[in-house]
Amino acid sequence: MQNQSISSKAEDIRDVLRYMKKFQKASIVIYLDDRLLDQPLFTSHIRDIAMLHEAGLQVVIVPGARKRIDEVLTSEGLEWRMKDGVRLTNEKSLPLIKMAAFDVANRIMTSLAGEGKTAVIGNWVRARSMGILDGIDFSAAGDIDKIQTDAVRTILENQFIPIFPCIGWSLAGKPYNISSVELAAEIAQRLQADKLFFLLPNGQLKEPDLIIPPEISRSPSGGIPALNINEASQILSLNPSNQEESSIQKEKILQLIRIAIKACTSGVSRVHILDGLIDGTLPCEIFSNLGCGTMIYKNDYGRIREMTVEDIPAILNLIRPFVEEGILLPRTEQSLAATFNDYIVYELDDGIKGCAALHLYNDYQAEIASVAVDPVCSHLGIGPKMMENLLNRAQKQQAKSVFILTTRTADWFEMQGFLPDEISTLPPKRREQWSPSRGSKLFRKKL
């Protein structure tokens, strides 16, 4: 048991080292909701951001300032209302909105200085008035016109952290209030950032807050670890906005999903929606396979490929716990080297998280064997994906049926459409290898 614990810790450390190498000098944009500033975990998030920067990542911060702007306008007795996520107020409010936005940015800059990091607040955003739309005067609100990306890249190359307040300036120097989440996405798109993070209180995609298609994988806690843009679009279609019963938080999450889809289709590699009330959510999301938030991506970040000889150490490490539990038969480096052409692996961010083999016999039978999935990733549907891949391969090889032999996982294979069969139906070569003492049961699926 102690050896298993050490092995598990070692694998976690390997993941961290692998991701540190993968994201060395990667650019990340972090939207930081100002509701987190008064939370006990705020200093922890700042420390994590400083750590990410120390690890070699290029960090851009876009603070949300809605809460602070609300407070300042209320204290001055100024009225406003929200329309489709945009604040409607008059131009008299602009100096106060600007002050509130810079208050938030300054607080984050000061906190980063406490961690030994130099941040820079700048006016790198040119904006234009939203004007009057459908008879509604958006007055103090603006649209993003241009971002001085060259200046931002220079700041990043000099190892500073740029902070973008939610203010843009017109060519005439007039300030406009712009959406922080839209600004974060726009910066990420124009920088072609590797990752865009939205860190906000209760930033979770889960039921019953949202209607989620049953085929989408859940984590053990019921959260959604990852969505491709098609799955994200499905969620939007099942959860239309502007419904009377919709909560502000639900509308916020739906807005972030829409923005994430647009960002991913515009060149941002991955978008992450994170719960800022969870300690360590940022480094956990970056330096582990699954993290603790929801990742939205355009291309499948996990893939099935054929095994190579170089994969053998990783495969042995993956199947070791299953061998120790008696679920799989032992494999050696030599046996894997002799049969590696029969194997496929499931690769997740350059780490092997699943394997399976397809062995063909002369009498139009095929065997699926050595099916193993890292338990941490068991809820991602890796096993069924590998099974589908091997069943398709068996069919292309003109196999009439596929069988498996198992001692402890019969229920799982029955869920995949396999039915019990007699040991006597095994190919002669495979029947000779079957051990009565082990007592493996046979399940078969006709093609």
Side-chain angles (χ1 to χ4, degrees):
M1 185 66 70
Q2 184 178 1
N3 289 341
Q4 288 182 2
S5 176
I6 293 173
S7 178
S8 177
K9 290 179 181 178
E11 191 59 28
D12 290 341
I13 293 170
R14 293 186 189 108
D15 279 340
V16 170
L17 294 174
R18 177 162 50 84
Y19 277 105
M20 286 184 69
K21 180 180 179 181
K22 181 180 179 67
F23 292 117
Q24 186 75 20
K25 294 187 178 179
S27 56
I28 63 173
V29 178
I30 303 171
Y31 162 80
L32 185 61
D33 195 296
D34 69 328
R35 290 175 293 173
L36 296 173
L37 269 62
D38 296 322
Q39 294 291 329
L41 289 178
F42 172 66
T43 54
S44 180
H45 292 316
I46 291 295
R47 190 176 301 116
D48 287 341
I49 291 171
M51 180 197 70
L52 297 177
H53 188 263
E54 193 68 29
L57 283 77
Q58 295 183 332
V59 180
V60 177
I61 299 177
V62 181
R66 180 171 176 174
K67 176 176 177 288
R68 181 58 182 147
I69 293 171
D70 287 352
E71 293 171 349
V72 171
L73 295 183
T74 299
S75 68
E76 295 296 322
L78 295 174
E79 296 182 352
W80 78 92
R81 66 185 178 93
M82 304 300 294
K83 170 67 175 174
D84 298 331
V86 178
R87 186 187 301 274
L88 301 182
T89 186
N90 57 47
E91 292 190 2
K92 293 180 181 178
S93 303
L94 272 173
L96 295 174
I97 291 173
K98 177 183 171 185
M99 180 188 74
F102 275 82
D103 278 351
V104 173
N106 272 296
R107 183 169 172 185
I108 292 172
M109 181 179 68
T110 302
S111 298
L112 286 168
E115 297 294 330
K117 293 297 172 184
T118 302
V120 181
I121 301 172
N123 58 344
W124 304 293
V125 182
R126 192 169 75 198
R128 61 182 182 275
S129 171
M130 290 182 68
I132 300 173
L133 300 173
D134 297 327
I136 298 174
D137 187 355
F138 284 81
S139 188
D143 281 323
I144 300 166
D145 191 22
K146 181 181 179 180
I147 295 174
Q148 297 176 21
T149 52
D150 288 343
V152 176
R153 288 193 178 97
T154 300
I155 291 166
L156 292 171
E157 288 167 4
N158 286 310
Q159 300 183 358
F160 298 144
I161 300 176
I163 300 177
F164 282 74
C166 56
I167 300 294
W169 279 263
S170 71
L171 286 172
K174 182 178 179 179
Y176 287 104
N177 182 200
I178 54 180
S179 164
S180 298
V181 292
E182 296 279 0
L183 176 58
E186 190 71 22
I187 294 168
Q189 291 168 40
R190 300 199 185 194
L191 290 178
Q192 294 292 280
D194 296 276
K195 288 181 176 288
L196 167 61
F197 294 94
F198 291 109
L199 188 63
L200 67 157
N202 299 310
Q204 297 182 352
L205 276 68
K206 57 183 178 58
E207 296 170 316
D209 302 336
L210 296 172
I211 300 172
I212 299 171
E215 63 271 18
I216 290 178
S217 299
R218 274 81 160 166
S219 67
S221 63
I224 310 299
L227 294 169
N228 60 45
I229 56 175
N230 293 330
E231 292 170 330
S233 297
Q234 269 188 286
I235 291 178
L236 289 180
S237 66
L238 291 173
N239 297 270
S241 296
N242 299 322
Q243 300 296 308
E244 292 182 3
E245 69 275 10
S246 294
S247 67
I248 294 175
Q249 183 67 14
K250 176 181 176 181
E251 290 300 320
K252 183 79 168 181
I253 295 296
L254 293 175
Q255 178 194 23
L256 295 181
I257 295 174
R258 284 190 292 270
I259 290 173
I261 293 171
K262 180 182 176 184
C264 287
T265 54
S266 300
V268 180
S269 299
R270 300 173 189 177
V271 179
H272 305 256
I273 300 174
L274 306 179
D275 186 356
L277 302 182
I278 298 176
D279 191 17
T281 185
L282 270 169
C284 182
E285 189 73 10
I286 294 178
F287 295 132
S288 67
N289 288 307
L290 300 178
C292 57
T294 298
M295 180 179 74
I296 299 174
Y297 58 95
K298 182 177 181 181
N299 298 316
D300 196 349
Y301 74 116
R303 66 180 181 125
I304 292 174
R305 62 169 174 80
E306 295 183 359
M307 177 183 165
T308 66
V309 174
E310 288 74 20
D311 297 325
I312 290 176
I315 296 297
L316 289 172
N317 188 58
L318 175 68
I319 68 174
R320 185 180 298 114
F322 299 96
V323 172
E324 292 173 352
E325 291 182 34
I327 296 173
L328 292 179
L329 289 171
R331 265 74 174 176
T332 64
E333 186 174 346
Q334 292 74 22
S335 67
L336 287 175
T339 59
F340 76 91
N341 286 325
D342 292 353
Y343 280 79
I344 59 170
V345 298
Y346 191 94
E347 191 175 55
L348 187 67
D349 277 341
D350 302 326
I352 292 175
K353 299 302 173 183
C355 70
L358 180 71
H359 305 306
L360 297 169
Y361 296 90
N362 293 331
D363 55 353
Y364 300 101
Q365 294 191 54
E367 177 186 12
I368 289 179
S370 304
V371 180
V373 176
D374 187 330
V376 175
C377 307
S378 60
H379 59 283
L380 291 182
I382 293 173
K385 290 175 183 176
M386 293 193 300
M387 292 292 291
E388 181 181 6
N389 181 283
L390 293 182
L391 289 170
N392 288 336
R393 292 184 181 211
Q395 203 161 22
K396 289 178 181 178
Q397 294 294 324
Q398 298 183 338
K400 302 299 183 184
S401 68
V402 175
F403 68 87
I404 61 95
L405 288 163
T406 183
T407 57
R408 306 255 314 262
T409 55
D411 290 342
W412 188 84
F413 284 106
E414 286 185 304
M415 289 175 59
Q416 309 307 313
F418 285 77
L419 300 174
D421 203 353
E422 298 296 328
I423 295 297
S424 60
T425 64
L426 284 172
K429 180 179 178 181
R430 186 66 181 89
R431 191 164 60 246
E432 291 174 3
Q433 299 170 348
W434 181 79
S435 170
S437 61
R438 181 171 170 82
S440 299
K441 291 184 178 181
L442 173 67
F443 289 82
R444 186 181 299 277
K445 185 171 185 175
K446 293 183 178 180
L447 300 178

